[in-house]
Amino acid sequence: MSRNAGFDEERIKSKCAAIEGLDFKIAECEEELRRVHEKAQEVLGKPKIVSVCACGTEISEGTKFCGKCGIKVTDTDGS
Ligand SMILES: [Zn+2]
């Protein structure tokens, strides 16, 4: 009886160690997933900054006029 209990304990311990290992792997994957999501948000959410206005406002791609002072912004590839 007591031998059986000891055996079960060993088995449970080894199972727990295996589960802990999986938990660690899951945490690692979740961390990576979070990072990928952040990168995706960065790429999709933020417009690409192509220029900076004289007033210091960042000019996103496709924008012709500064959103702050309203002056026309010259493109980086323009004259
Ligand atoms: Zn401006």
Side-chain angles (χ1 to χ4, degrees):
M1 194 82 164
S2 58
R3 264 185 80 147
N4 263 351
F7 178 72
D8 277 354
E9 200 176 304
E10 280 307 303
R11 241 176 46 167
I12 289 162
K13 268 182 189 169
S14 73
K15 289 278 181 203
C16 281
I19 289 164
E20 270 171 32
L22 287 174
D23 274 347
F24 183 72
K25 270 205 156 71
I26 289 164
E28 256 187 353
C29 287
E30 279 177 346
E31 175 69 20
E32 200 176 327
L33 191 67
R34 202 176 55 81
R35 259 181 275 152
V36 169
H37 267 287
E38 269 177 15
K39 261 218 153 74
Q41 279 289 301
E42 231 176 73
V43 170
L44 296 172
K46 283 187 199 163
K48 192 179 161 197
I49 303 302
V50 292
S51 184
V52 177
C53 177
C55 73
T57 303
E58 288 176 330
I59 307 302
S60 53
E61 196 171 28
T63 305
K64 293 276 184 284
F65 299 93
C66 172
K68 194 176 179 185
C69 65
I71 66 162
K72 194 176 181 189
V73 179
T74 49
D75 290 328
T76 46
D77 60 353
S79 58

